[in-house]
Amino acid sequence: MTDWQELEKEYYMQTFERVPLTIVRGEGARVWDDKGGEYLDFVAGWAVNSLGHCHPVVTKALTEQAQMLIQTSNQFYTVPQLRFAQLLVENSCLDKVFFANSGAEANEGAIKLARRYGQLKLNGAYEIITTSGSFHGRTLAMVAATGQPKFQQSYPPLPTGFVNVEYNNIEAIKSATTERVCAVMVEPIQGEGGVNLPDDGYLPALRKWCDQKGILLILDEIQTGIGRTGTLFAYEQYGLEPDIMTLAKGLASGVPIGAVLAKNSSAVFAAGEHGSTFGGNPLACAAGYAVVKFVIDNDIAGRAKEVGQYLIKGLEGMKKKFPFVTEVRGRGLLVAMEFDSDIAQPLVMACLERGLLVNKLKPNALRFMPPLIIGKSEVDEALGILDGALSSAIS
Ligand SMILES: *Cc1c(COP(=O)(O)O)cnc(C)c1O
């Protein structure tokens, strides 16, 4: 039997800190490894498999589209792209869509759009304010935008034009707003940076400030969007509307795709100013349409909210038994559990041995981001396994 993990060492760039598990098949909230072992998946492709693994709605859309038309270039009109764009616009506060292939690429598009807006409407303002602890992707510009030195330090010089200020601090944004600033970009809830929820007043105050200054508010909803936090988009919970929003991760439940959405007033790209070879191709858009339609028609966001509250309550309940659990936080099915010491890695391994996949968010924190279609029985199963893993951490 092939040792895939040895093979990886020999042939793949050693850039990922991987868990020793080779996944070969998935169905719903479960995956199977190359030795037939079964696991409950609370990682979900990093908050990507919104409908779980190989949901029939997704495989059907992919199969039918693959037999019909896969790629044409954006020199031509294609039906899945336009149907999907219409669906997103009709179910959000934004007016126009551009499709990319990943989150980072969607954010690049959003930054280019904001700079073009600055050029046309704000006397050439080009700077983007971002916040500490954020995560916006791995391209050079998105590494510069990301407020975490660990993603930046290996790659100087970084593209300029990003100003990083303290998260959840509106005064910090205000004092960084100069004539050069054209936009502020934040995640409504920081995912990768720690499942950090802002104070209730932060995002509304930010919206107000951007209006006052005439600058754009870009919401990176790549992780929070498509029902993950209990509403289709997280901005709905804060009573505000962004000028530009980016999506990716859960947008097609595993098929690579990203999207930039904008209000008509900020959708200033003219012909030739932005583009993509694969972005918005029929295959990815057919999957995305099927996923978002299913999410809307079946109120998957509402389900994520309810099951998420159940998960958070269950995790909270463990604090008593395991006093080294210092905090449980999250919204919908984006949840973190923090500890008073660096035990996340051994816990990931202890959960793995017991048949549960979880994500190490930080050395002292785990992240839970299961498929949005899970039920309470699967949460109970995960909580049982976690209880065993936490018990093993103290013995
Ligand atoms: C994952 C993520 C990205 C980057 O997406 P990729 O598809 O990995 O490029 C950007 N922003 C946020 C908030 C993310 O969670």
Side-chain angles (χ1 to χ4, degrees):
M1 202 168 146
T2 310
D3 186 336
W4 298 106
Q5 291 163 35
E6 272 306 311
L7 210 104
E8 194 257 9
K9 270 200 200 73
E10 191 167 344
Y11 294 111
Y12 207 85
M13 292 196 197
Q14 296 296 292
T15 174
F16 294 105
E17 206 184 309
R18 301 196 205 247
V19 169
L21 179 73
T22 306
I23 298 174
V24 295
R25 187 166 76 81
E27 191 184 320
R30 288 175 202 275
V31 295
W32 287 264
D33 69 9
D34 55 342
K35 299 173 185 77
E38 183 180 317
Y39 302 84
L40 185 56
D41 185 5
F42 271 45
V43 176
W46 285 335
V48 165
N49 302 106
S50 38
L51 302 187
H53 295 275
C54 303
H55 193 286
V57 153
V58 181
T59 49
K60 180 167 179 281
L62 280 174
T63 309
E64 288 178 2
Q65 192 59 48
Q67 288 167 343
M68 184 94 150
L69 185 71
I70 293 177
Q71 162 79 6
T72 60
S73 90
N74 279 302
Q75 187 176 329
F76 307 101
Y77 299 86
T78 51
V79 177
Q81 178 184 94
L82 301 172
R83 283 177 82 208
F84 192 24
Q86 181 182 24
L87 183 70
L88 288 172
V89 166
E90 287 178 352
N91 289 282
S92 72
C93 65
L94 289 317
D95 304 311
K96 294 280 193 292
V97 180
F98 178 90
F99 288 116
N101 305 288
S102 68
E105 197 192 329
N107 280 343
E108 291 270 349
I111 297 300
K112 283 173 74 177
L113 186 59
R115 284 205 180 166
R116 185 68 182 121
Y117 184 90
Q119 216 173 41
L120 291 168
K121 317 232 167 168
L122 300 171
N123 295 316
Y126 61 91
E127 278 182 358
I128 316 283
I129 299 175
T130 63
T131 61
S132 58
S134 60
F135 182 80
H136 297 297
R138 301 292 203 137
T139 59
L140 271 179
M142 287 314 107
V143 161
T146 290
Q148 299 189 62
K150 69 173 179 187
F151 295 116
Q152 304 176 330
Q153 58 210 13
S154 306
Y155 306 106
L158 294 175
T160 53
F162 296 94
V163 186
N164 197 254
V165 304
E166 192 185 17
Y167 177 61
N168 198 27
N169 178 346
I170 189 70
E171 293 309 320
I173 300 243
K174 287 184 180 178
S175 37
T177 308
T178 64
E179 305 267 274
R180 292 187 302 275
V181 170
C182 64
V184 178
M185 177 163 76
V186 295
E187 300 155 81
I189 295 169
Q190 291 187 337
E192 203 73 28
V195 187
N196 304 316
L197 290 105
D199 295 336
D200 287 343
Y202 178 66
L203 293 170
L206 182 52
R207 175 68 275 179
K208 218 172 128 197
W209 178 250
C210 290
D211 286 341
Q212 208 173 314
K213 290 287 157 185
I215 59 177
L216 301 177
L217 175 59
I218 306 171
L219 286 185
D220 177 346
E221 291 234 26
I222 287 167
Q223 189 155 158
T224 53
I226 317 302
R228 175 60 52 186
T229 67
T231 47
L232 190 57
F233 306 108
Y235 72 75
E236 297 167 39
Q237 297 171 44
Y238 293 95
L240 59 91
E241 296 185 352
D243 301 296
I244 300 175
M245 172 172 74
T246 52
L247 301 170
K249 293 209 160 79
L251 188 55
S253 197
V255 179
I257 190 168
V260 189
L261 283 78
K263 295 264 193 195
N264 275 329
S265 51
S266 358
V268 294
F269 281 147
E273 288 180 352
H274 193 46
S276 173
T277 297
F278 294 119
N281 98 352
L283 191 69
C285 286
Y289 179 88
V291 168
V292 175
K293 187 89 173 65
F294 188 91
V295 165
I296 293 166
D297 290 351
N298 296 280
D299 189 23
I300 296 299
R303 188 190 170 112
K305 182 177 172 186
E306 192 189 325
V307 178
Q309 281 165 351
Y310 185 75
L311 170 64
I312 289 174
K313 206 168 135 235
L315 294 171
E316 283 281 355
M318 292 178 156
K319 275 175 156 177
K320 218 179 185 161
K321 184 168 171 191
F322 305 106
F324 55 92
V325 175
T326 52
E327 198 188 349
V328 174
R329 58 177 180 269
R331 223 12 115 71
L333 284 169
L334 180 59
V335 181
M337 181 181 240
E338 201 156 304
F339 312 101
D340 65 5
S341 64
D342 292 351
I343 56 169
Q345 186 55 32
L347 281 174
V348 166
M349 294 306 296
C351 287
L352 179 71
E353 279 164 26
R354 291 165 173 78
L356 173 68
L357 308 186
V358 294
N359 171 249
K360 182 180 82 172
L361 179 61
K362 294 193 282 186
N364 68 333
L366 294 177
R367 179 170 41 164
F368 308 93
M369 41 188 167
L372 306 180
I373 44 111
I374 60 158
K376 289 181 179 170
S377 65
E378 281 147 334
V379 170
D380 286 337
E381 190 182 335
L383 289 171
I385 293 175
L386 186 65
D387 186 286
L390 290 168
S391 300
S392 76
I394 39 179
S395 61

